[in-house]
Amino acid sequence: CGELMLKENPEDLNSKDISVAILRLPAISPIPAADPLFLIQGGPGGSSIDMATQLHSFFADVRKNRDLIFVDQRGTGKSNPLRCEQLTEADLLLPEAEQKDKYLQIIKNCAEKYNASAAFYTTVHAVQDLDAVRSALGYQKINLWGGSYGTRVALEYARRYPQQTRAII
């Protein structure tokens, strides 16, 4: 486990630093293949690291020869999460119309809270982060496995970084 510090706005060196969380499950082979498998959570908004506890056993054969890499995309999991208030248990006892009004206010407050930085929590930035992780870990090429929304991230990564992409699933 570890983290990579990146700029929230990659084009502004004065932008605040954010942490991108990484989980690396090393290959079992003493001489692993040079190209790991990056596993990308769907959602959007899910934690790839949390997903690792459920999925890693399905990739036991892959892990024999390849590292498995899980990266929480910015704004999710342990990567500078963007968290919004939720309805409380007491709120759920309110009449449906009042619940709806309260929920809409929560959404508006959350949108205002993250308005200034929301543009930096998109697929484009998630893909840039994945490539920064690839580079920081010293991999030349990677394989990508995506579930649900993670398939879009994998496709966008392959489109933007074809020389660093070996395969996508």
Side-chain angles (χ1 to χ4, degrees):
C1 293
E3 61 183 33
L4 181 62
M5 297 305 291
L6 299 170
K7 292 294 183 186
E8 184 176 55
N9 176 353
E11 295 178 12
D12 179 1
L13 295 177
N14 295 317
S15 177
K16 79 175 186 175
D17 291 325
I18 62 170
S19 168
V20 173
I22 305 162
L23 170 64
R24 178 180 162 264
L25 299 178
I28 299 194
S29 169
I31 305 172
D35 53 316
L37 179 63
F38 276 54
L39 294 102
I40 307 164
Q41 166 67 290
S47 165
S48 291
I49 292 174
D50 288 348
M51 178 183 71
T53 61
Q54 301 164 347
L55 282 186
H56 74 89
S57 62
F58 293 110
F59 293 91
D61 284 343
V62 175
R63 189 174 175 210
K64 287 179 184 176
N65 296 307
R66 285 190 166 76
D67 294 345
L68 301 182
I69 310 296
F70 299 85
V71 179
D72 279 350
Q73 293 178 43
R74 56 174 59 210
T76 72
K78 296 176 182 150
S79 293
N80 199 46
L82 304 179
R83 301 215 194 285
C84 297
E85 182 184 343
Q86 300 291 315
L87 291 175
T88 65
E89 287 187 34
D91 294 333
L92 297 175
L93 299 175
L94 296 170
E96 189 173 333
E98 288 181 46
Q99 286 183 41
K100 180 180 175 184
D101 290 343
K102 185 147 188 169
Y103 192 65
L104 288 174
Q105 189 58 50
I106 287 171
I107 291 171
K108 287 177 185 176
N109 292 344
C110 188
E112 289 172 13
K113 178 180 176 181
Y114 295 116
N115 184 48
S117 59
F120 307 114
Y121 292 82
T122 62
T123 303
V124 169
H125 292 92
V127 165
Q128 290 172 343
D129 294 350
L130 285 178
D131 198 58
V133 169
R134 176 205 56 80
S135 179
L137 293 176
Y139 299 117
Q140 297 300 311
K141 286 188 176 251
I142 62 174
N143 303 288
L144 299 118
W145 177 92
S148 187
Y149 165 71
T151 61
R152 292 176 184 251
V153 175
L155 287 169
E156 183 63 13
Y157 184 91
R159 187 181 75 78
R160 287 183 173 265
Y161 302 101
Q163 295 82 9
Q164 287 82 16
T165 304
R166 179 180 170 270
I168 60 173
I169 303 163

